[in-house]
Amino acid sequence: MTNRPELPPEIARRRTFAIISHPDAGKTTLTEKFLLYGGAIQMAGQVRAKGEARRTRSDFMKMEQERGISVSASAMSFDFDGHRFNLVDTPGHSDFSEDTYRTLTAVDAAIMVIDGAKGVESQTRKLFEVCRLRDLPILTFCNKMDRESRDTFEIIDEIQENLAIDVAPASWPIGVGRDFIGCYDMLNDRLELMDRADRNKVAESVKMEGLDDPRLADHVPADLLEKLREEVEMARELLPAFDRKSFLEGHMTPIWFGSAINSFGVRELMRGISEYGPAPQPQNAADREIAPEEKPVTGFVFKVQANMDPKHRDRVAFVRLASGHFERGMKLTHVRSKKPMAVTNPVLFLAADRELADEAWAGDIIGIPNHGQLRIGDALTEGEALRFTGIPSFAPELLQSVRATDPMKAKHLEKALMQFAEEGAAKVFKPMIGSGFIVGVVGALQFEVLASRIEIEYGIPVRFEASQFTSARWVAGPKDKVEAFVNANKGHIAQDHDGDMVYLTRLQWDIDRVGRDHPELRLTATKEMM
Ligand code: GDP
């Protein structure tokens, strides 16, 4: 990944990224401060409801009821330092879902937030691995430095060893815990001082002529200053210096130390994104790479959110623009159905408000309200039959059967389930033999969330029960062979919401046996969506 100097300025100034972190590290707080500095909200505290809401399960359900909040926070745009930031939210609850992976297919970079006292935690590591698969550049923010934290070298070592990535300090903390007073900006030789009294105040920033500048002593107590000089000298010897190319290739992460709640270090991190990028990157399609500067507009759906307004069954498809300059009212081709689609009411997500988008450029995320035509993985183009690749659909790891407690509502339940399947919230399989449905998810909490949503959004109380199956695999191969296999194994076959055949079993042994007996077939754990 490199920045491409030939990009039109409107595209070059875009920064589309996500925040990855373990719950509680400070993602919500940092997001608030981004919006505050981006001028998108007046006072921090407006996205708070969301952060607090996912503390407990019952609160999480409540948040799902108040979907307006979580939806508007799915993608947020704001300006900073002449750059347009598009922050795409990674679904935060502790259960890992496919949504999280897909979100990371729509961004060009990620900010990794870690808690200075806890270091690299499990969820962070998982998300980091996904970023690594795509060689995404990562900027690190070590948060909560106002509290007792680990030794700076120890934190950096842990990241280097745990995640196998070079870490280059962009700033260096001065003092620990109650004695933490700020940071020395190692990239720009500035002293940044934290104000504990006013949490929303921008830190005082003083230009220095390097670490020997005598004016440092005016601001930093002697013992802390001596330690700072020692540590920075050691850091410059032991740690790699920031190298932009290595960062853009995903081999090195610059680290800033700060305290999101005290608005400290946030601005420096944002400047880092502005200055070092990356700008919108090319996207992979089946036959070629799509460069952002290409004139024709192209984009792909990476997320679908249904029932944003429970009174209307509308949905919003979130589209990452891969190329071109989009203007409202444009007629695009919906590649899967080969039908034209006039995009008259696209939505840009400006903080808490939804706003009609008059124009958007490669790198932007727009929301397209629709009645179900747009599905995850779909391409929109100006006519070319593109298929974007790399948007995965995973085999669910947990299967349960579901039925409506009121049998009269079975038909309605089918509709509700199909909608969730299209939204990507779950896999829904209709077995060839018998009635009812089998629902597959990747994390157990998703069953509860689904049950709650089906009841709230559709008024259908449901019961999830253990299924006789525990694994699902898509069946791929020549059409006649698939048909013959399906007919011979009806008791194990179901269809997913696209009508594709799925083999259900409870034994790995069965899967291996099919592989041996039917070399012409492939049983796959992921299905690439199109
Ligand atoms: P998320 O789960 O990653 O979104 O984390 P939140 O932003 O909701 O923060 C988790 C908790 O840490 C909240 O109680 C925050 O007030 C607190 N917090 C966030 N940033 C800081 C910080 O810089 N210092 C301290 N002491 N607490 C913080």
Side-chain angles (χ1 to χ4, degrees):
M1 277 195 174
T2 46
N3 262 1
R4 306 156 62 93
E6 71 273 29
L7 285 180
E10 269 303 334
I11 297 177
R13 78 183 187 95
R14 269 141 169 98
R15 299 285 182 268
T16 303
F17 60 98
I19 300 179
I20 61 171
S21 62
H22 194 82
D24 248 24
K27 183 174 83 164
T28 310
T29 310
L30 185 65
T31 302
E32 272 175 19
K33 300 299 162 120
F34 278 176
L35 297 177
L36 188 66
Y37 286 126
I41 53 174
Q42 296 304 310
M43 275 294 290
Q46 300 195 353
V47 279
R48 171 65 28 203
K50 179 170 167 273
E52 302 290 3
R54 55 172 189 272
R55 286 297 115 67
T56 65
R57 286 177 183 212
S58 59
D59 279 351
F60 177 69
M61 301 299 178
K62 242 185 279 156
M63 177 197 99
E64 288 292 313
Q65 288 173 40
E66 298 159 6
R67 291 187 69 70
I69 297 167
S70 61
V71 166
S72 61
S74 291
M76 289 165 276
S77 300
F78 48 93
D79 289 322
F80 177 81
D81 257 8
H83 286 84
R84 165 60 56 90
F85 282 41
N86 297 310
L87 171 56
V88 186
D89 189 46
T90 42
H93 47 93
S94 58
D95 257 37
F96 213 52
S97 76
E98 291 176 47
D99 256 2
T100 317
Y101 284 97
R102 292 199 203 103
T103 298
L104 292 169
T105 65
V107 300
D108 301 299
I111 294 175
M112 174 167 77
V113 179
I114 60 173
D115 180 323
K118 295 184 177 152
V120 178
E121 297 174 86
S122 58
Q123 187 92 344
T124 316
R125 189 173 307 116
K126 275 191 185 175
L127 290 162
F128 177 87
E129 292 307 333
V130 180
C131 294
R132 161 146 299 162
L133 285 176
R134 305 191 53 236
D135 291 325
L136 278 186
I138 293 177
L139 306 99
T140 303
F141 185 72
C142 184
N143 191 28
K144 305 198 186 181
M145 294 305 290
D146 58 313
R147 282 213 205 135
E148 235 19 77
S149 59
R150 293 199 201 161
D151 173 71
T152 312
F153 283 105
E154 201 184 303
I155 295 169
I156 292 176
D157 275 355
E158 189 189 75
I159 300 171
Q160 300 206 124
E161 276 172 29
N162 232 300
L163 305 179
I165 188 166
D166 287 335
V167 180
S171 71
W172 199 267
I174 309 171
V176 187
R178 295 162 68 94
D179 296 328
F180 176 76
I181 59 164
C183 283
Y184 189 77
D185 180 337
M186 290 179 61
L187 301 177
N188 305 293
D189 278 309
R190 302 189 78 93
L191 181 65
E192 312 289 347
L193 295 165
M194 186 173 87
D195 186 338
R196 280 185 196 252
D198 183 351
R199 289 185 156 178
N200 289 327
K201 197 169 149 202
V202 174
E204 187 187 346
S205 173
V206 192
K207 177 75 192 157
M208 292 288 157
E209 302 297 329
L211 273 162
D212 296 326
D213 195 320
R215 286 176 306 147
L216 273 168
D218 300 343
H219 304 278
V220 184
D223 54 331
L224 292 184
L225 183 53
E226 190 185 342
K227 188 158 179 268
L228 172 71
R229 286 183 171 137
E230 250 174 52
E231 288 186 342
V232 170
E233 193 178 328
M234 232 164 97
R236 288 198 164 132
E237 245 166 62
L238 298 174
L239 300 170
F242 178 67
D243 174 56
R244 183 160 183 232
K245 183 165 172 285
S246 184
F247 157 68
L248 291 174
E249 287 168 351
H251 302 314
M252 169 182 283
T253 178
I255 184 169
W256 282 264
F257 294 85
S259 168
I261 207 156
N262 288 295
S263 311
F264 182 77
V266 177
R267 201 182 30 165
E268 289 69 31
L269 173 66
M270 291 173 88
R271 282 207 191 115
I273 304 168
S274 293
E275 207 166 307
Y276 307 121
Q281 294 296 300
Q283 301 290 325
N284 289 324
D287 301 321
R288 64 188 195 89
E289 205 177 62
I290 313 301
E293 67 272 19
E294 287 177 27
K295 283 265 161 6
V297 171
T298 65
F300 60 90
V301 179
F302 66 95
K303 175 176 175 149
V304 173
Q305 187 104 49
N307 300 348
M308 289 175 70
D309 175 354
K311 288 192 285 300
H312 305 103
R313 295 260 173 261
D314 71 340
R315 308 167 199 203
V316 171
F318 290 79
V319 174
R320 150 91 193 212
L321 291 182
S323 65
H325 176 207
F326 168 87
E327 283 171 307
R328 180 141 73 98
M330 261 182 126
K331 212 171 248 149
L332 296 176
T333 299
H334 178 230
V335 173
R336 186 166 49 80
S337 67
K338 302 189 182 71
K339 287 197 178 127
M341 184 172 217
V343 187
T344 49
N345 52 355
V347 179
L348 255 193
F349 298 84
L350 288 160
D353 296 325
R354 290 211 258 157
E355 288 203 359
L356 270 192
D358 281 324
E359 59 161 14
W361 294 82
D364 283 341
I365 310 292
I366 58 172
I368 303 183
N370 68 99
H371 298 296
Q373 306 92 310
L374 290 176
R375 301 220 190 137
I376 292 163
D378 280 0
L380 293 171
T381 68
E382 291 192 40
E384 187 178 353
L386 276 183
R387 184 167 72 82
F388 288 93
T389 54
I391 302 162
S393 174
F394 294 88
E397 288 165 14
L398 298 164
L399 300 180
Q400 289 196 353
S401 61
V402 59
R403 59 188 82 252
T405 40
D406 175 359
M408 301 295 285
K409 298 211 158 149
K411 206 70 212 156
H412 286 114
L413 176 61
E414 173 164 2
K415 228 180 116 199
L417 289 173
M418 286 307 151
Q419 198 151 82
F420 288 123
E422 284 163 22
E423 191 185 319
K427 290 284 172 315
V428 175
F429 304 121
K430 191 170 170 45
M432 288 190 80
I433 292 180
S435 61
F437 292 88
I438 291 175
V439 172
V441 298
V442 286
L445 177 60
Q446 281 174 273
F447 286 126
E448 283 175 50
V449 172
L450 276 177
S452 156
R453 285 190 59 187
I454 294 171
E455 177 148 12
I456 292 162
E457 294 170 25
Y458 294 86
I460 312 172
V462 295
R463 233 187 7 249
F464 279 97
E465 289 161 356
S467 156
Q468 55 168 319
F469 302 116
T470 53
S471 302
R473 293 287 182 275
W474 280 280
V475 186
K479 202 160 169 253
D480 54 328
K481 303 280 196 229
V482 172
E483 251 165 46
F485 176 76
V486 163
N487 286 328
N489 293 277
K490 281 192 175 138
H492 284 269
I493 298 291
Q495 285 186 314
D496 73 4
H497 71 283
D498 289 323
D500 288 327
M501 294 300 169
V502 176
Y503 178 71
L504 300 171
T505 180
R506 52 183 313 125
L507 300 170
Q508 179 61 38
W509 188 84
D510 274 343
I511 297 174
D512 297 339
R513 183 182 50 82
V514 173
R516 276 196 311 274
D517 295 354
H518 301 272
E520 72 284 4
L521 296 179
R522 276 179 302 119
L523 295 186
T524 62
T526 61
K527 158 173 125 164
E528 207 160 80
M529 308 191 83
M530 56 173 292

